[in-house]
Amino acid sequence: MLNFEFKNPTKIIFGKGQIEKLEQEIPKQAKVMMLYGGGSIKTNGIYEQVKKALSGFEVVEFSGIPANPEYEVLMDALKIIKKENITYMLAVGGGSVIDGVKFLSAAAFYPGDTPWDILKNAIKTEKGLPFGTVLTLPATGSEMNSGAVITRRETQEKLAMGGPGLFPEFSILDPEVVKSIPQRQLANGITDAYTHVLEQYMTYPVGAILQDRIAESILQTLIEIAPRIMKDTADYEAAANFMWSCTMALNGLIQKGVPTDWAVHAMGHELTALFGIDHARTLAVIAPSHYHYNFEAKKEKLAQYGKRVWNIQTGSVEEIAKVAIEKSVEFFHSLGIDTRLSDYTPAYEGTAEKVAQRFTERGWIGLGEHKTLTPADAEKIVKMSY
């Protein structure tokens, strides 16, 4: 097992009827900005619950944060934060809203003129404007980590950011919100969480037995509850396990003491930036090709995954590893998730070259767990994904 340090300061408030506890978590004299996406929280009862809990606070609302939080939209919110002297933020939404609030948390205290530089220059935020979250769409784990990904439409870029100052102070997770989530978003959430685990697990063995077992248990849980939650979103037990699995998939725990990959995300982000494809679906497009391309380096963990998660007990290491990749593809397909870039756009030709060029321009010359995946390798992997 590798050396590590672990600290996660986010308080989790989990279960039915917990939104009412908001008023106990926000400082009494805070001037709050409540941020959310479209109108879904106004049709599923969440908006009313949150507003009731915030009745004792001065609240400014900001709506319209899109599915991929856009820099231009967030800059409008930043102007209001500064004009209104906001002292606390509340993200009510899924990963996109929470990521947007993390950017605003960093940008509110950023001394420069162009907050995009936080992402462009990979500046880690040590202290941000404090915020909490009410999770409405399980998927990204953003409710219990300090990372975010922001899109800039005018340049077709999607970049990551983070830092110890960007953990939510608290996150309220009420599984009852799941019953109002559309099927497409449920499938995305399951796929997103599943691939998050793979990015931290599908590398090479380092003797981190417990971390591997926790990762495998999250994958097994998602496989088990996926058909239940897709069939009946009001299945509270399935919803609760789905929600907690998404949080556990990316709250930092399973990546401690082990090598991590994240090359799938790096390539997937480019597909979202170029074509607007749902984030989770870009991961399902890239992951199978990535594992085939890097098969020799990953075959031991692929075979372990095949044996422990998919119960494939016969065959050589190579044979089990190859079947394990196909089992992953079948799982994505069972959710209605397509796994080829050509399934999403007819304009896929030339994409691989664009991705390689962008990686080269950014100096991303060594991705993956071994830091050896070059832009030329990324070009080949994306091309395999057509």
Side-chain angles (χ1 to χ4, degrees):
M1 190 186 302
L2 307 179
N3 293 354
F4 68 90
E5 295 181 7
F6 181 53
K7 179 181 180 180
N8 191 315
T10 301
K11 178 180 180 179
I12 296 295
I13 304 166
F14 189 99
K16 295 180 183 179
Q18 299 301 295
I19 292 176
E20 66 183 26
K21 292 186 176 178
L22 263 176
E23 60 179 332
Q24 301 170 24
E25 302 300 324
I26 298 174
K28 297 301 181 187
Q29 303 304 316
K31 185 172 184 179
V32 181
M33 174 177 271
M34 173 184 168
L35 300 100
Y36 51 97
S40 62
I41 68 166
K42 292 188 175 180
T43 59
N44 59 18
I46 296 171
Y47 178 84
E48 288 78 10
Q49 292 180 62
V50 172
K51 288 291 285 185
K52 182 179 179 181
L54 293 177
S55 60
F57 296 90
E58 184 177 356
V59 178
V60 175
E61 293 185 31
F62 185 90
S63 63
I65 297 177
N68 290 298
E70 293 180 4
Y71 176 70
E72 295 83 354
V73 174
L74 296 172
M75 288 301 290
D76 290 337
L78 183 62
K79 292 175 185 175
I80 298 171
I81 287 170
K82 293 185 174 182
K83 180 182 177 183
E84 297 288 339
N85 295 313
I86 298 297
T87 61
Y88 205 95
M89 294 183 293
L90 180 68
V92 183
S96 295
V97 174
I98 299 171
D99 279 13
V101 168
K102 287 178 182 177
F103 168 78
L104 292 170
S105 175
F109 292 167
Y110 181 62
D113 297 327
T114 309
W116 183 254
D117 289 343
I118 298 170
L119 296 114
K120 185 178 179 181
N121 300 326
I123 297 171
K124 289 191 179 298
T125 299
E126 299 294 331
K127 180 177 174 55
L129 186 66
F131 66 96
T133 89
V134 174
L135 182 66
T136 65
L137 177 60
T140 69
S142 193
E143 66 277 3
M144 200 180 178
N145 65 43
S146 60
V149 182
I150 305 299
T151 298
R152 191 169 188 177
R153 182 187 294 179
E154 62 180 311
T155 57
Q156 288 190 307
E157 292 178 280
K158 184 172 181 177
L159 299 177
M161 61 176 289
L166 296 180
F167 282 98
E169 291 195 334
F170 68 88
S171 287
I172 294 178
L173 280 59
D174 182 346
E176 291 196 309
V177 305
V178 172
K179 62 188 175 186
S180 63
I181 298 174
Q183 288 282 300
R184 180 185 182 89
Q185 296 304 322
L186 278 177
N188 283 351
I190 294 166
T191 301
D192 201 3
Y194 197 91
T195 315
H196 284 161
V197 177
L198 292 180
E199 289 274 59
Q200 300 163 90
Y201 171 86
M202 201 64 72
T203 55
Y204 57 89
V206 292
I209 299 170
L210 179 60
Q211 300 300 65
D212 279 358
R213 293 291 190 189
I214 297 172
E216 290 155 2
S217 70
I218 298 170
L219 296 172
Q220 289 174 313
T221 301
L222 289 168
I223 291 167
E224 181 179 335
I225 60 93
R228 286 176 56 184
I229 199 67
M230 294 292 286
K231 180 181 179 181
D232 180 13
T233 56
D235 181 338
Y236 182 83
E237 182 180 276
N241 282 283
F242 165 48
M243 179 172 269
W244 189 230
S245 292
C246 291
T247 302
M248 287 294 292
L250 201 58
N251 67 359
L253 179 61
I254 64 170
Q255 73 177 19
K256 299 306 177 185
V258 300
T260 59
D261 188 343
W262 299 112
V264 173
H265 272 67
M267 288 178 271
H269 287 164
E270 299 305 321
L271 303 187
T272 297
L274 290 168
F275 302 110
I277 303 168
D278 297 0
H279 169 64
R281 293 167 192 255
T282 69
L283 304 180
V285 166
I286 295 294
S289 296
H290 181 59
Y291 297 149
H292 280 300
Y293 185 82
N294 295 288
F295 187 79
E296 284 302 314
K298 293 179 178 289
K299 65 183 180 183
E300 287 187 67
K301 286 302 285 284
L302 279 163
Q304 178 179 310
Y305 163 68
K307 290 177 181 178
R308 294 186 181 179
V309 175
W310 292 108
N311 197 30
I312 307 163
Q313 300 301 333
T314 58
S316 65
V317 167
E318 288 78 8
E319 289 168 340
I320 294 174
K322 287 177 182 177
V323 174
I325 298 173
E326 296 314 308
K327 284 287 187 181
S328 304
V329 173
E330 290 173 10
F331 178 59
F332 296 147
H333 288 172
S334 75
L335 300 170
I337 302 281
D338 292 319
T339 53
R340 311 297 302 184
L341 182 57
S342 54
D343 294 326
Y344 296 93
T345 175
Y348 58 85
E349 292 291 351
T351 302
E353 290 81 0
K354 287 180 183 176
V355 172
Q357 180 182 352
R358 288 182 166 199
F359 284 10
T360 300
E361 290 171 350
R362 294 179 194 144
W364 294 4
I365 58 175
L367 297 177
E369 63 268 30
H370 295 290
K371 307 302 180 190
T372 56
L373 196 77
T374 67
D377 293 320
E379 180 176 333
K380 293 172 184 174
I381 292 167
V382 174
K383 196 163 285 188
M384 286 171 64
S385 304
Y386 287 176

